[in-house]
Amino acid sequence: MKTRIIRTDTFVGDAVAIIHDAALEAIAARGIFRFCLCGGNTPRPVYAELAKLYLDLPWEKIQVTFGDERCVPPDDEQSNYKMARKTLFDAVNFPEGNIFRIRGEIAPGDAALEYEQKLAHVAERFGEERYAHDLLLLGLGEDGHTASLFPGSPALDETARNVIPAIGPKPPPQRITFTLPLINAARHVCFLVNDPAKSEIIERATSGDERLPAARVKPASGRLTWLIGL
Ligand code: 6PG
């Protein structure tokens, strides 16, 4: 696997360029861009800038998923969906049918199964064993977690499922997360990190310290990018 580590002082612009290029490449190749959003605060300015710079992207050809979601209602300030709605979806009038929202407001087990079925339906159309994202964004926690895969979590050992409930120390504790097999089925995975407090954990994760969930992200396709705005 070839890992690209990009250190930049134009973090937001570079992140938007990676997304934009991936979208055009995927749409040219397969007529659709399957794009996974990460949660947390880091991506907020990236989504806002994407909406501002590329209002004319063919949004109807873009299908958006979420690498994880907190088990809260969609209008809750902690919802990753709500963050994306405020920074991206409303700004570009994103086609509602293209937004695959994880229903954080229902029982976690039901929400995970429902989401797996949604992804499986599309994967079947493409003849894929697992839904293959064209670009899957990930954040990094100070403990080395990514999506809602936290150090020591049994969720890290999941090899069959694609989407499962998970508990983590980062509030709110009850979440739904992509598993490593689904993340690693992506054509291209890109970490977005720009917090100086994460410098040490970035070094450990990019050096392959597999005690960290982020270090276990190894897309089979081989395309892994770390965009580091430090
Ligand atoms: C979440 C995210 C989580 C996040 C990291 C970094 O739902 O919280 O999926 O994995 O990406 O914790 O969060 P910040 O960008 O806020 O530092």
Side-chain angles (χ1 to χ4, degrees), residues 38-43 68-70 80 138-141 145-148 170 175 195 198:
C38 63
N41 294 312
T42 303
D68 73 331
E69 186 54 281
R70 294 84 178 275
N80 287 333
L138 288 173
L140 177 72
H145 79 258
T146 192
S148 285
K170 176 179 178 183
R175 292 147 169 263
D195 180 345
K198 298 176 184 176

Side-chain angles (χ1 to χ4, degrees), residues 80-94:
N80 287 333
Y81 165 80
K82 178 165 185 180
M83 181 271 284
R85 170 145 303 280
K86 284 196 308 188
T87 55
L88 177 60
F89 299 153
D90 286 349
V92 301
N93 198 11
F94 206 103

Side-chain angles (χ1 to χ4, degrees), residues 22-33 61:
L24 296 188
E25 181 186 328
I27 290 167
R30 287 170 293 280
I32 182 174
F33 175 45
K61 293 181 179 171

Side-chain angles (χ1 to χ4, degrees), residues 1 7 28 75 108 113 138 182:
M1 180 180 71
R7 292 185 183 276
D75 59 354
L113 275 173
L138 288 173
L182 181 59

